[in-house]
Amino acid sequence: MLAFRTRWLRAFCVLAVTLVSDLVQARDWEPGFRDLAGWGRDMHLRPIALGEELLLTNRWTRMRFRKDSDRMTFNEVEFRLSDRIPVEGSRFRVSQRDIDSLLAPLLAPPKRTSQTIRRIAINAGHGGRDPGNMEGRRMEKTYTLDLAIDLARHLKSAGFQVVFIRSSDRFIALPDRAAAANRADADLYVSLHFNGFDGPGNDAVQGLETYCLTPAGAPSSNDSQRRGRMAGFDANRFDRENITLAHLVHRAILDQTPLADRGVRRARFMELTLLRMPGLLIEGGYMTHPGDTRLMDSRKSRDQLAAAIADGILRHKKLVERGTPE
Ligand SMILES: [Zn+2]
């Protein structure tokens, strides 16, 4: 899916890949695979084979997998798997890595045992001499800052403290953005972006993408060559909480805005690799799509998006803090 990347995000990824391949020795990360229906039964999910698809369901959960696909849905929200679903005869298989870093945390979200979630770092993507995506005179850096300000208001009224990585039109290097969140001792990091697609048929590509850090050894979702199977970062210790956060924020946005679902995805964006807290990056629609653009240009729709993000963060806090001593 490299063709779907924005120019700037592609640049981030190249930087991140360069950094990592310089520092980390390649290792054999081929994961073990296991029988998907059998895993489902262990989790009290009933497997239902539907030709090219396998459903795992119970009263609360509906997971849908497709043969040879790296997409699955969990209660009708799309997620990208690290490894495609191989089928041998009639048996669907799934990688242990996808079980550990995606399926198991979706079924049983992790619980924090200490620190509560109080302080949220908000990164308005780009700024200053880096405009991000540009469509005519419209610049991504302006939309991200407007959204950041709306998001801060909603988070504060939900009782959170807010740390702005930038609150004006200025350039900050990516490593400095993560460093600022780390210095501020933030409990979560939210990076705001808007996408663009510069290929043929660009006005047909639309919707929401939510990213969290790629698990160690897995290829990133947009790595169509699936080459980037690299070792992990310190920030990978938050993998399980990252996917819970990404899931709840993504779901809240789909529930509360007209944005289409382009999936919860994984990427090694540099800012995410350097965090000392769980984090995510939201691509809140395509600046190259007329419908998405109308939403970005409407104050009301932007506020709706900000409210949904804040709501997802609040749901995440409630879910992972259950059992946390005050
Ligand atoms: Zn961006």
Side-chain angles (χ1 to χ4, degrees):
M1 301 293 284
L2 257 178
F4 285 93
R5 309 201 66 112
T6 69
R7 285 156 294 215
W8 283 101
L9 288 179
R10 193 183 299 147
F12 295 174
C13 204
V14 170
L15 281 171
V17 168
T18 309
L19 175 80
V20 175
S21 56
D22 285 350
L23 296 178
V24 182
Q25 285 248 302
R27 283 199 243 165
D28 178 15
W29 283 104
E30 278 309 309
F33 280 77
R34 62 176 288 191
D35 181 59
L36 181 54
W39 174 79
R41 281 190 208 95
D42 290 349
M43 296 292 111
H44 309 287
L45 294 162
R46 187 160 62 99
I48 303 172
L50 295 169
E52 301 277 285
E53 292 191 341
L54 183 74
L55 295 185
L56 298 178
T57 68
N58 66 18
R59 212 168 128 193
W60 305 277
T61 305
R62 185 179 174 86
M63 289 183 171
R64 181 186 290 265
F65 300 85
R66 175 171 276 274
K67 178 182 176 181
D68 295 326
S69 175
D70 66 349
R71 300 179 192 203
M72 59 86 58
T73 60
F74 176 83
N75 293 342
E76 314 311 324
V77 173
E78 184 179 301
F79 289 82
R80 296 303 174 96
L81 296 155
S82 295
D83 300 288
R84 291 177 191 280
I85 296 288
V87 177
E88 292 156 19
S90 61
R91 295 171 85 85
F92 284 61
R93 299 175 77 77
V94 64
S95 74
Q96 189 63 44
R97 176 165 50 220
D98 276 316
I99 291 175
D100 295 339
S101 68
L102 178 63
L103 307 183
L106 285 177
L107 281 178
K111 299 282 179 262
R112 286 190 169 212
T113 49
S114 54
Q115 224 177 340
T116 56
I117 298 171
R118 292 200 172 91
R119 190 172 304 155
I120 315 294
I122 304 177
N123 178 45
H126 312 281
R129 62 182 146 90
D130 166 16
N133 285 301
M134 289 209 295
E135 297 301 323
R137 280 178 302 167
R138 299 160 57 248
M139 290 184 282
E140 184 186 350
K141 67 175 184 177
T142 314
Y143 289 110
T144 60
L145 184 55
D146 288 346
L147 179 61
I149 291 164
D150 284 350
L151 174 59
R153 201 180 62 250
H154 284 285
L155 286 172
K156 282 178 190 163
S157 64
F160 291 103
Q161 298 168 13
V162 166
V163 177
F164 281 105
I165 303 300
R166 73 174 176 98
S167 55
S168 62
D169 182 19
R170 67 187 182 104
F171 177 80
I172 303 172
L174 291 172
D176 296 339
R177 294 177 189 247
N182 293 340
R183 255 195 327 272
D185 214 10
D187 301 308
L188 296 177
Y189 178 89
V190 184
S191 190
L192 305 173
H193 288 258
F194 291 94
N195 228 326
F197 177 56
D198 53 5
N202 63 356
D203 55 359
V205 180
Q206 68 177 110
L208 168 72
E209 297 168 12
T210 303
Y211 289 85
C212 58
L213 182 60
T214 311
S220 292
S221 305
N222 296 356
D223 174 7
S224 56
Q225 306 296 313
R226 310 186 78 71
R227 289 204 190 102
R229 291 177 178 272
M230 57 190 62
F233 299 87
D234 278 356
N236 279 116
R237 68 186 188 272
F238 306 115
D239 281 352
R240 285 163 52 83
E241 193 175 323
N242 282 343
I243 200 70
T244 307
L245 175 67
H247 172 212
L248 293 175
V249 170
H250 192 81
R251 179 177 293 271
I253 298 172
L254 294 179
D255 287 348
Q256 296 172 38
T257 75
L259 286 166
D261 184 4
R262 287 180 54 83
V264 175
R265 303 174 179 217
R266 288 348 212 297
R268 293 187 176 92
F269 295 133
M270 187 189 277
E271 48 188 311
L272 300 183
T273 66
L274 300 172
L275 294 176
R276 292 199 214 116
M277 71 219 64
L280 83 173
L281 185 148
I282 298 164
E283 292 278 3
Y286 275 76
M287 290 174 61
T288 39
H289 185 271
D292 284 3
T293 302
R294 268 195 297 280
L295 298 176
M296 288 169 213
D297 284 330
S298 148
R299 254 200 79 81
K300 192 172 159 227
S301 299
R302 195 177 64 225
D303 193 60
Q304 206 176 36
L305 174 58
I309 297 169
D311 192 41
I313 291 171
L314 191 59
R315 286 192 216 174
H316 175 78
K317 173 182 167 72
K318 287 179 179 160
L319 188 61
V320 301
E321 281 183 4
R322 219 186 294 152
T324 309
E326 268 304 311

